[in-house]
Amino acid sequence: MLTMSDDNVMLRQIQGTHAPSVREVDVKPLFHLVEDILDRATLQVDTIFLGSQAKREIEEKAHQANLVAMVDSLAYIIDRISCEISYKALGGSDAHQTTLAIFNLVSEFSWDAKLVLALAAFAMNYGEFWLLAQIYTSNQLAKSMAILRQLPSILEHTGPLKPKFDALNNLIKVMVDVTRCVVAFNDMQPNYISQDIPALTTALAHVPTAVYWTIRSVVACAAQITSLTSLSHEMYSISTTEAWELSTLAHKLKNIHEHLKKQLDICYQYIDDKRSIEAYQMLKNLFETIQIDNMKVLRALIYARDDLLPLVDGSTKKRVSLDVLRRRNVLLLISGLNMATDELSILEQIYNDSRLHPTRQESQYEVVWIPVVDRSIQWTDAMQNQFETLKLSMPWYTVHHPTLIERHVIKFIREDWHFKNKPILVVLDPQGKVACPNAIHMMWIWGSNAFPFTTLREEVLWREETWRLELFLDAIDPLILNWAKEGKYIFLFGGDDVEWVRKFANTAKNVAQTARIPLEMAYVGKSSKKEAVRRVTATINVEKLSYFWQDPAMVWFFWIRLESMLLSKIQLGRADDQDPMMQEIKKLLSYDKMGSWAILCKGSNAVVNGHGTTVLPALLEYDIWKDQVAVKGFDLAFKDHHGKLHDIAQPCCRFEFPMAAGRIPEGMKCPECNRMMEKHITFLCCHDDGTVPGSIF
């Protein structure tokens, strides 16, 4: 066994027999047939020796229309190989010489065809052997043939024979594995990969060696089967030499298979990358082409084939086709699996409110959740449970499973729609054209009133807004809006400094009492540091300092709306517009980062928007400006004195944009002095269980 230790000498010998003809043979159908035979035969070995009644359903891969014609054209050469193997096995010929004889018989075929034909010749005999073993007890013809082949005697000695068949079984499986790789390399599509790619070059150089040792293993296995049917039962036990031969071949083929499989995986990844690039470009082109409806776009984004229903209806939880979205305004809710509960509940409330009046114009849209996950990460049960929980909680359409979203679509979503793990809401009009690259900001600010969620509609809504209480409070808290309707003075304030909050609230109460004005106060928290905010609200509650929001979702929604106002302006390219409203929004967001703050409103009118370092001193110095209250009114008198302190203090402004924020501006002007702000890189940890859900600052 293995007298030819020098693979280079062996390689020159078998390459000398290689003279392929022009005729191309697609051996995949034949290989699938052979694979099926050997799978069932090796299963039969396990069934007989383990006494198991287990059944296995094998995919009918071989049933192709051209299979019968192919087998007919190749039957002669398969029979010749089979006879060559049987004759040489009975004569005790050298295994290497038998292998070379087979190479001479298949000289005109490609390397993968040589291997499949040899394997087919072996499968024909091996399959027949186990077919008789399976049916001879119930079929008289099979019984007579089995007696001729000594099968009953063989099966009566299962104990001594089990090690032999285990060794054969192991070798046959690795023979099939190697053949599968060789066939796969020959089947590489030249329009996606060329032979100058290192992985393919390396693999093709090793294919002749792989074919040789696999056919050599075919010869060894055939010799073992032949010995069973030609020797007396006293010689059934496997010899040391036989065991060493089979295990050595199995070990060598396993090494060959591991090497080929590694190169095959690299080639498949290369092809997958090229296909993904091609598909990505086609998707980009699709969005630049005028469509008659949105179906081609939706199929390209979600699922292109018709073999399954890709959506789940959130109201019925039943699977549906993409046709339910035909010629509809579609809002693609794109997120990961970590979408915050508060974020989801607010969005659900807005969506459900729009469904109460289905005939209204602002209700004429559908939402589809597209979950985006990192395809390089192993999908786990925990991820599946997380996905199912989110899917079940959503009242709108959802993609049936994240794996339906192809790699090139995820690339497009990330690179062209700037998705960076924070939820976005891409709006497609009835023709599938992008009407807005991210309407999530519009949704948070104006809800369904922003329909049809186009960039034009966004600009119109901004032109209608002014810096007033209703803009930054909306309908979050009707009680505060009622205070405004009653014309009361209102202090909205925030921060995480308990001492500042205590001093501010008590001072504001004393000043209001002294000035004899109706004043209400509401603490609205902070965009981050949830635990610190909880401590502040606990103190406010115990000491009865002011009104506050007990529901954290209200705090979250207040800040996400303010942040969305800035991001909306950034998306429109208007973040540095010199309109007073935008300047005040930017100031408030900056003050939130820099410490404590307060806004004084008289009714709906926002009078003063100040940092904690100027608002509290202005109240503490009431005696200085109290005479102006009778002349100007409390609001204007406070505004004038605060302005003087602000001009002296000039608090810094600061904005933070995490990498997951999506569209980040290249630069931004300061809302206080209108200079271009410096850009820094910050590493931040607030020691929370995450920051406020959905927050980008």
Side-chain angles (χ1 to χ4, degrees):
M1 171 58 191
L2 301 179
T3 55
M4 298 291 295
S5 59
D6 188 346
D7 274 8
N8 291 326
V9 175
M10 171 273 296
L11 189 59
R12 286 195 296 271
Q13 284 186 308
I14 62 170
Q15 284 179 333
T17 69
H18 186 54
S21 65
V22 179
R23 183 180 123 181
E24 286 285 336
V25 179
D26 179 12
V27 293
K28 290 195 301 297
L30 178 60
F31 173 62
H32 292 322
L33 183 63
V34 170
E35 191 177 20
D36 188 50
I37 293 170
L38 294 177
D39 277 352
R40 295 178 188 273
T42 51
L43 172 69
Q44 186 63 28
V45 174
D46 293 338
T47 303
I48 289 175
F49 288 113
L50 298 178
S52 169
Q53 297 299 316
K55 293 183 179 180
R56 176 174 146 199
E57 190 174 329
I58 297 178
E59 183 184 355
E60 300 294 340
K61 294 181 284 187
H63 290 178
Q64 300 180 24
N66 62 344
L67 180 60
V68 175
M70 171 178 284
V71 172
D72 184 57
S73 66
L74 298 174
Y76 174 72
I77 188 66
I78 293 173
D79 278 337
R80 283 200 64 188
I81 297 170
S82 178
C83 292
E84 184 74 20
I85 293 172
S86 299
Y87 173 74
K88 294 289 177 65
L90 285 170
S93 297
D94 175 72
H96 173 66
Q97 293 303 320
T98 304
T99 304
L100 283 180
I102 295 171
F103 271 101
N104 283 315
L105 288 174
V106 293
S107 60
E108 67 179 62
F109 293 95
S110 59
W111 292 107
D112 64 321
K114 295 179 198 291
L115 185 50
V116 172
L117 289 170
L119 206 61
F122 170 71
M124 190 164 61
N125 288 331
Y126 194 64
E128 180 186 340
F129 180 88
W130 286 111
L131 177 62
L132 290 176
Q134 184 178 5
I135 66 172
Y136 84 98
T137 57
S138 58
N139 184 291
Q140 185 57 46
L141 176 59
K143 184 176 181 180
S144 299
M145 291 181 64
I147 292 171
L148 281 176
R149 299 195 65 168
Q150 302 184 53
L151 265 176
S153 177
I154 293 171
L155 296 179
E156 285 175 4
H157 297 82
T158 56
L161 284 173
K162 188 178 187 307
K164 177 175 285 195
F165 280 110
D166 284 344
L168 281 170
N169 213 2
N170 184 42
L171 181 54
I172 289 169
K173 285 177 180 177
V174 73
M175 283 159 49
V176 172
D177 288 339
V178 171
T179 306
R180 191 181 296 112
C181 285
V182 172
V183 171
F185 279 116
N186 192 70
D187 196 42
M188 293 282 176
Q189 294 176 297
N191 53 326
Y192 287 111
I193 190 168
S194 59
Q195 293 192 10
D196 59 352
I197 301 303
L200 185 56
T201 303
T202 302
L204 293 179
H206 283 80
V207 162
T209 303
V211 172
Y212 171 83
W213 285 109
T214 308
I215 295 179
R216 177 77 170 259
S217 299
V218 165
V219 172
C221 290
Q224 290 296 319
I225 297 299
T226 301
S227 69
L228 285 175
T229 58
S230 60
L231 300 175
S232 62
H233 63 79
E234 287 84 0
M235 301 179 67
Y236 283 161
S237 60
I238 188 166
S239 69
T240 303
T241 303
E242 290 173 331
W244 178 75
E245 177 185 6
L246 295 179
S247 65
T248 302
L249 284 169
H251 178 72
K252 190 169 189 70
L253 280 187
K254 281 177 183 176
N255 288 336
I256 290 172
H257 174 251
E258 287 174 4
H259 176 74
L260 291 180
K261 185 66 169 59
K262 181 180 177 181
Q263 303 306 316
L264 187 62
D265 289 341
I266 295 172
C267 290
Y268 278 153
Q269 185 62 54
Y270 180 87
I271 292 171
D272 194 34
D273 289 343
K274 288 202 71 173
R275 282 177 172 166
S276 185
I277 292 170
E278 182 182 90
Y280 168 74
Q281 191 57 50
M282 289 176 64
L283 187 58
K284 284 176 70 75
N285 295 341
L286 185 63
F287 276 97
E288 295 169 2
T289 308
I290 298 174
Q291 307 293 329
I292 58 172
D293 62 20
N294 56 4
M295 292 311 296
K296 187 176 287 188
V297 166
L298 291 173
R299 287 169 66 89
L301 286 171
I302 298 174
Y303 193 70
R305 298 193 294 275
D306 296 319
D307 55 339
L308 58 80
L309 301 173
L311 299 181
V312 175
D313 187 333
S315 59
T316 63
K317 305 305 177 187
K318 292 182 178 179
R319 300 275 292 274
V320 294
S321 72
L322 289 171
D323 283 327
V324 297
L325 305 174
R326 188 184 295 273
R327 294 192 177 92
R328 300 279 292 172
N329 291 284
V330 178
L331 277 59
L332 301 176
L333 175 60
I334 301 170
S335 79
L337 301 182
N338 57 346
M339 197 170 182
T341 304
D342 290 337
E343 197 167 15
L344 190 57
S345 64
I346 297 293
L347 195 58
E348 183 178 345
Q349 182 180 333
I350 295 171
Y351 176 82
N352 288 336
D353 288 347
S354 73
R355 303 293 112 167
L356 294 175
H357 306 284
T359 58
R360 289 184 180 177
Q361 184 183 15
E362 59 266 25
S363 301
Q364 305 306 306
Y365 66 88
E366 301 293 347
V367 177
V368 180
W369 179 43
I370 297 185
V372 173
V373 297
D374 187 347
R375 298 293 286 272
S376 65
I377 296 176
Q378 180 75 28
W379 186 257
T380 63
D381 290 341
M383 293 170 70
Q384 180 66 28
N385 293 335
Q386 194 176 9
F387 167 70
E388 291 294 341
T389 300
L390 271 175
K391 184 171 72 170
L392 288 172
S393 68
M394 294 180 176
W396 44 75
Y397 294 108
T398 63
V399 171
H400 170 60
H401 198 272
T403 52
L404 296 184
I405 309 301
E406 298 282 355
R407 271 205 318 146
H408 68 275
V409 176
I410 295 175
K411 175 183 170 70
F412 180 83
I413 287 172
R414 291 191 181 279
E415 296 189 5
D416 291 68
W417 288 348
H418 305 284
F419 171 72
K420 295 182 179 177
N421 301 325
K422 293 294 182 183
I424 63 173
L425 203 61
V426 179
V427 181
L428 304 180
D429 69 12
Q431 285 71 48
K433 183 180 178 181
V434 176
C436 181
N438 188 9
I440 196 79
H441 316 309
M442 276 192 275
M443 188 66 84
W444 295 142
I445 302 167
W446 298 291
S448 295
N449 290 332
F451 181 86
F453 306 103
T454 62
T455 301
L456 181 62
R457 175 62 175 161
E458 191 172 13
E459 292 177 334
V460 169
L461 288 168
W462 271 124
R463 285 197 292 269
E464 296 172 353
E465 292 292 356
T466 57
W467 177 245
R468 57 197 175 98
L469 184 69
E470 287 80 1
L471 171 65
F472 48 85
L473 197 66
D474 194 47
I476 296 174
D477 192 335
L479 176 62
I480 299 177
L481 294 179
N482 284 336
W483 294 344
K485 289 177 183 177
E486 294 169 4
K488 292 182 177 181
Y489 288 94
I490 304 167
F491 262 127
L492 296 183
F493 65 102
D496 61 344
D497 186 335
V498 174
E499 288 303 320
W500 186 93
V501 167
R502 180 185 288 117
K503 192 169 185 178
F504 172 80
N506 289 328
T507 303
K509 286 179 185 177
N510 293 335
V511 169
Q513 189 174 8
T514 304
R516 296 181 180 180
I517 59 168
L519 177 68
E520 300 288 352
M521 292 185 292
Y523 173 73
V524 296
K526 190 175 179 67
S527 65
S528 60
K529 299 185 178 180
K530 290 189 290 184
E531 289 302 321
V533 170
R534 287 192 187 101
R535 289 194 293 270
V536 172
T537 54
T539 301
I540 292 173
N541 186 43
V542 170
E543 299 180 16
K544 309 300 180 188
L545 296 176
S546 74
Y547 175 71
F548 66 94
W549 290 331
Q550 297 184 14
D551 185 357
M554 297 173 72
V555 176
W556 173 83
F557 195 37
F558 175 82
W559 288 106
I560 198 66
R561 290 187 72 258
L562 283 170
E563 293 162 0
S564 294
M565 291 174 196
L566 176 57
L567 290 177
S568 171
K569 286 287 190 175
I570 290 173
Q571 187 167 279
L572 293 171
R574 304 282 179 80
D576 287 329
D577 282 3
Q578 295 303 304
D579 70 286
M581 176 178 58
M582 197 61 232
Q583 299 297 85
E584 295 300 327
I585 291 170
K586 288 165 72 175
K587 284 181 187 178
L588 182 53
L589 290 170
S590 174
Y591 294 159
D592 172 62
K593 289 287 120 190
M594 300 301 293
S596 304
W597 58 272
I599 294 177
L600 175 66
C601 298
K602 183 180 181 182
S604 295
N605 184 35
V607 181
V608 173
N609 175 17
H611 190 268
T613 56
T614 55
V615 173
L616 180 55
L619 288 174
L620 290 170
E621 295 176 1
Y622 173 69
D623 288 342
I624 298 175
W625 53 273
K626 65 181 180 182
D627 293 339
Q628 297 298 313
V629 173
V631 179
K632 301 178 180 179
F634 180 84
D635 52 336
L636 295 180
F638 177 73
K639 179 181 180 181
D640 288 347
H641 190 72
H642 175 268
K644 294 175 184 177
L645 297 178
H646 180 271
D647 291 341
I648 297 171
Q650 291 189 335
C652 294
C653 287
R654 173 180 167 187
F655 299 97
E656 294 173 2
F657 294 90
M659 299 306 294
R663 297 172 187 266
I664 300 174
E666 287 297 320
M668 184 174 288
K669 290 183 179 180
C670 174
E672 300 280 5
C673 66
N674 205 37
R675 295 189 183 96
M676 288 302 296
M677 302 178 73
E678 295 180 4
K679 185 183 289 187
H680 294 258
I681 295 175
T682 302
F683 294 90
L684 181 67
C685 179
C686 295
H687 318 298
D688 280 340
D689 181 18
T691 56
V692 176
S695 175
I696 57 138
F697 289 94

